[in-house]
Amino acid sequence: MKNLYLGILFSATAIVSCNQQNGKKGEVIPEDNIVKLSESETLEGFGLMKTNCYACHNPVTPESERVAPPMIAIKARYLAQQKTKGEFIAEIWNYVQKPDSSKSKLPGAVQRYGLMPYQSFHQKDIEKIAAFIYDYKIPEPEWFKEHYKKQMNAEFNQNGKPIPASAKTKEEIAMDYALETKQLLGKNLQKKLKEEGAEKALEFCNVEAIPLTKSVSDKYKVAIKRVSDQPRNPRNLANAEELKIINKYKADLVAGKSVKGMMLNDHQFYMPITTNTMCLQCHGTVGKEIKPNVAAEIKKLYPKDKATGYQENQLRGIFSVTMK
Ligand code: HEC
Ligand code: HEC
């Protein structure tokens, strides 16, 4: 699915963007106007982007639930040709003030998601957002680099400076840590599964899941845990407070709502962990998705296992990140 979408996104656009540039010369905002945005005004663009654009363009919504491309896909496309900051900002504003498929540089996205709905935005806010996107490295989904490489046959290295930690909320920093842990576990699990199959991957999780999680905790000097109401490893059993959060996420999923990370108070962050089909090889039903040899190994390593019987898109557990 990702392949398909990025394929459409990147391949069909070249001709459109050339036409675009010839016809829209008059709309470029003079560099002078842009330069007037101070550093702090530009950084305001981050908050404005999250408030106004992330409902649809955020980097974290899973592929299957997306209603629009992540903002990084737009940045990559709009900067595929060399552009000044003024040209970039003008092109973003030109689209946002009146979305129209004839102006689109991402016709694949229009095809997949439908046209961006018209909303009334202030030009100054959009300029700050676009300046921020141009100047800084904005958050990318986990899969973006790899798929860019597949589609464009080139490495994707995003332009821009790193966003200063002072511009991030504590929740964003905590989420960065949870995502890094998730990626680390996921990358290693996928590799083992592919190279050695589910039984060996299971042994790998048995030995490495907790130490890998701890390595991220140690790196940032925070406490990261992966817990469940139905744990495989009894050490991962959720406590009373975590159970409350788990039950809330479960109820939301049953009600068809999507679930996402949340900061409970000034230092405690939770992020839901949901299942996909891949997980069911080890967390699905014995005799159905779980093969006999894998079931036997689970029984051997985890005599008190409670982590089977799951279906796709159910809550498997949560990440807990406790900040200082
Ligand atoms: C309600 C959902 C929604 C919101 C909110 C939203 N967009 Fe979009 N946007 C879309 C969709 C869907 C597309 C893909 C279809 C398209 O290109 O029109 C898109 C595409 C775009 C594109 C690429 C247009 C192209 O095809 O060349 C830009 C630029 C863009 N959005 C900017 C923004 C900015 C900036 C914000 C916040 C100020 C924002 N959008 C908020 C839904 C949204
Ligand atoms: C190859 C088998 C395997 C696959 C595939 C697998 N897991 Fe696990 N999972 C395990 C094992 C083994 C443990 C126990 C690790 C430990 O001892 O700390 C575990 C533990 C967990 C835990 C911690 C709570 C607990 O039950 O101990 C969560 C959460 C979890 N898995 C989620 C997932 C999700 C989500 C997926 C799919 C994206 C997945 N797992 C795929 C084998 C697997």
Side-chain angles (χ1 to χ4, degrees):
M1 199 50 167
K2 280 173 211 161
N3 277 335
L4 177 68
Y5 137 65
L6 281 177
I8 302 169
L9 188 72
F10 287 116
S11 59
T13 47
I15 308 162
V16 181
S17 39
C18 289
N19 292 343
Q20 197 74 45
Q21 283 192 324
N22 299 336
K24 305 282 177 198
K25 264 197 172 149
E27 301 192 32
V28 172
I29 300 172
E31 285 286 310
D32 281 1
N33 292 10
I34 305 303
V35 179
K36 280 186 200 139
L37 281 177
S38 67
E39 195 66 20
S40 69
E41 281 178 310
T42 304
L43 276 171
E44 272 173 43
F46 189 26
L48 287 165
M49 175 169 79
K50 286 185 273 190
T51 319
N52 294 297
C53 319
Y54 265 26
C56 304
H57 292 299
N58 74 72
V60 295
T61 301
E63 196 54 20
S64 58
E65 291 168 31
R66 296 209 68 92
V67 295
M71 198 58 94
I72 188 61
I74 296 172
K75 177 173 180 177
R77 184 67 252 167
Y78 273 61
L79 288 178
Q81 281 111 7
Q82 199 77 48
K83 243 168 233 159
T84 65
K85 189 166 160 187
E87 285 166 342
F88 178 78
I89 294 175
E91 285 182 2
I92 298 282
W93 170 241
N94 177 38
Y95 196 82
V96 169
Q97 67 166 326
K98 196 171 182 299
D100 181 336
S101 58
S102 73
K103 303 189 228 173
S104 174
K105 295 184 203 301
L106 290 83
V110 176
Q111 207 169 50
R112 176 172 168 190
Y113 302 109
L115 199 63
M116 172 161 150
Y118 168 77
Q119 299 150 87
S120 163
F121 291 114
H122 295 295
Q123 181 169 354
K124 188 84 185 173
D125 287 351
I126 300 301
E127 287 178 21
K128 286 179 187 166
I129 292 170
F132 174 78
I133 295 172
Y134 189 91
D135 282 351
Y136 288 92
K137 277 198 165 59
I138 64 169
E140 295 173 21
E142 302 163 50
W143 47 265
F144 191 75
K145 275 193 172 53
E146 191 185 315
H147 285 271
Y148 184 91
K149 195 173 174 184
K150 265 193 198 146
Q151 298 307 323
M152 305 296 281
N153 209 8
E155 293 293 337
F156 179 71
N157 281 311
Q158 191 187 161
N159 293 331
K161 350 175 222 195
I163 302 171
S166 58
K168 289 189 188 172
T169 61
K170 225 171 179 180
E171 176 166 7
E172 280 159 358
I173 296 170
M175 170 124 72
D176 284 349
Y177 297 163
L179 285 172
E180 185 171 330
T181 314
K182 185 182 166 191
Q183 281 167 26
L184 186 67
L185 290 168
K187 193 177 71 189
N188 283 291
L189 173 64
Q190 298 263 17
K191 189 162 176 280
K192 278 278 159 192
L193 270 176
K194 207 170 133 200
E195 287 169 4
E196 300 178 54
E199 192 182 329
K200 283 275 177 278
L202 189 97
E203 287 166 16
F204 169 82
C205 289
N206 174 246
V207 178
E208 288 298 337
I210 290 179
L212 281 174
T213 307
K214 187 167 179 300
S215 73
V216 185
S217 299
D218 291 349
K219 182 168 162 193
Y220 297 110
K221 303 197 170 33
V222 295
I224 305 173
K225 285 193 292 178
R226 204 173 55 138
V227 296
S228 176
D229 55 335
Q230 292 175 225
R232 173 146 294 166
N233 185 332
R235 285 172 65 192
N236 297 331
L237 178 65
N239 64 27
E241 183 181 294
E242 290 155 357
L243 275 176
K244 272 191 223 155
I245 306 292
I246 287 174
N247 287 333
K248 186 197 155 354
Y249 280 138
K250 279 183 160 175
D252 283 351
L253 279 176
V254 169
K257 295 185 204 160
S258 71
V259 291
K260 51 175 187 279
M262 61 172 185
M263 202 81 193
L264 192 69
N265 51 41
D266 148 62
H267 61 276
Q268 182 57 51
F269 175 79
Y270 293 110
M271 193 174 86
I273 304 173
T274 54
T275 48
N276 57 37
T277 37
M278 190 268 284
C279 317
L280 305 187
Q281 303 176 54
C282 299
H283 295 298
T285 303
V286 178
K288 212 170 138 202
E289 299 97 349
I290 303 182
K291 295 203 181 115
N293 64 326
V294 178
E297 191 66 17
I298 293 174
K299 215 168 185 169
K300 195 176 107 200
L301 293 171
Y302 302 98
K304 294 192 179 134
D305 178 43
K306 294 201 176 73
T308 58
Y310 286 89
Q311 292 166 3
E312 212 182 324
N313 200 28
Q314 289 186 329
L315 194 81
R316 182 63 267 278
I318 54 175
F319 276 109
S320 156
V321 182
T322 313
M323 310 281 279
K324 269 181 302 200

